[in-house]
Amino acid sequence: MNIKTGSVHSFHGRDVEVLFSRDDITSRLQALAKDIEKDYHGKELVVVGVLKGSFLFMADLVRCISLPLTCDFLRVSSYEGEHSTGDVRMEFDMTQPIHGKDVLLVEDIVDTGNTLRHLLSHLKAKQPSSLRVASLLFKETGRNGRSLVDYIAFEVPNRFVVGYGLDYEGQFRSLPFVGAFI
Ligand code: IMP
């Protein structure tokens, strides 16, 4: 299948418009990784992925970053279907201590910013030396915490997006592109 930006495909009974193709993502991640390498030159990073949505983004991003780093994960949930419940639940926490470490938190998407605010205060309490955020997507709704995010791969319109890690009721995560329901 030729999956190009702007094309529409049917998956799990839904029409999905491709917003960012696999190629778009690959080249954007290389640029993002260069920025991260510049900012963390001479340092060692702890990259913390927020499951489940960030798993593909994190896997591809860390392979582009030429710095010594370790990986860890935590898991939160706040969405039911297409809507945020507003209630962020930590389902499991990361395992390594980050006191005095340079931490890069990796998110799939920042929408209202609720999840991120919750995670930042949770991680700050562990006293890392520095804490920054990389998000694959940022919704252009204006109501959220743009200033909380240091590295953004793509901005997206206020539509429900799926693919490349992001799901709708557990499906669509394995699509190799980011798409929006139409
Ligand atoms: P926030 O707390 O409103 O910023 O939402 C953040 C979390 O909600 C993300 O980590 C996603 O898991 C989920 N989310 C928000 N918008 C979407 C979307 O358009 N598609 C899939 N998941 C989303």
Side-chain angles (χ1 to χ4, degrees):
M1 197 185 345
N2 192 12
I3 302 180
K4 288 204 169 127
T5 311
S7 60
V8 176
H9 303 266
S10 185
F11 297 97
H12 308 296
R14 299 286 298 248
D15 286 335
V16 180
E17 177 189 346
V18 179
L19 299 182
F20 307 107
S21 68
R22 186 75 190 92
D23 288 350
D24 295 336
I25 295 169
T26 302
S27 52
R28 184 68 190 109
L29 293 205
Q30 280 160 358
L32 213 57
K34 283 211 170 65
D35 290 343
I36 292 169
E37 284 168 12
K38 218 185 309 150
D39 294 347
Y40 289 95
H41 182 73
K43 294 186 173 168
E44 185 171 335
L45 266 177
V46 181
V47 183
V48 180
V50 183
L51 293 173
K52 301 178 187 171
S54 74
F55 80 112
L56 291 180
F57 174 45
M58 174 145 159
D60 287 340
L61 184 66
V62 292
R63 283 181 285 181
C64 295
I65 300 174
S66 298
L67 287 174
L69 59 82
T70 58
C71 298
D72 210 329
F73 299 92
L74 48 76
R75 179 168 161 183
V76 291
S77 65
S78 65
Y79 256 59
E80 277 169 18
E82 294 188 25
H83 302 285
S84 171
T85 60
D87 171 29
V88 182
R89 289 190 305 275
M90 170 83 56
E91 298 193 342
F92 61 77
D93 200 355
M94 54 185 301
T95 53
Q96 61 183 293
I98 53 167
H99 184 271
K101 302 273 175 76
D102 293 299
V103 174
L104 180 65
L105 183 67
V106 177
E107 263 280 25
D108 56 352
I109 185 166
V110 178
D111 180 5
T112 63
N114 271 348
T115 307
L116 186 53
R117 277 189 202 89
H118 183 93
L119 286 172
L120 287 174
S121 72
H122 173 77
L123 292 178
K124 274 182 193 152
K126 296 175 187 275
Q127 301 184 303
S129 157
S130 72
L131 177 57
R132 287 190 180 151
V133 178
S135 185
L136 172 68
L137 303 171
F138 183 84
K139 273 195 191 171
E140 300 166 329
T141 45
R143 64 198 156 111
N144 37 31
R146 177 69 183 80
S147 62
L148 302 175
V149 192
D150 302 280
Y151 308 98
I152 293 173
F154 302 104
E155 297 212 351
V156 285
N158 191 17
R159 295 167 69 181
F160 196 80
V161 292
V162 292
Y164 196 65
L166 290 103
D167 77 312
Y168 172 67
E169 297 192 339
Q171 292 182 310
F172 304 94
R173 284 197 204 277
S174 60
L175 297 179
F177 57 85
V178 175
F181 285 159
I182 55 173

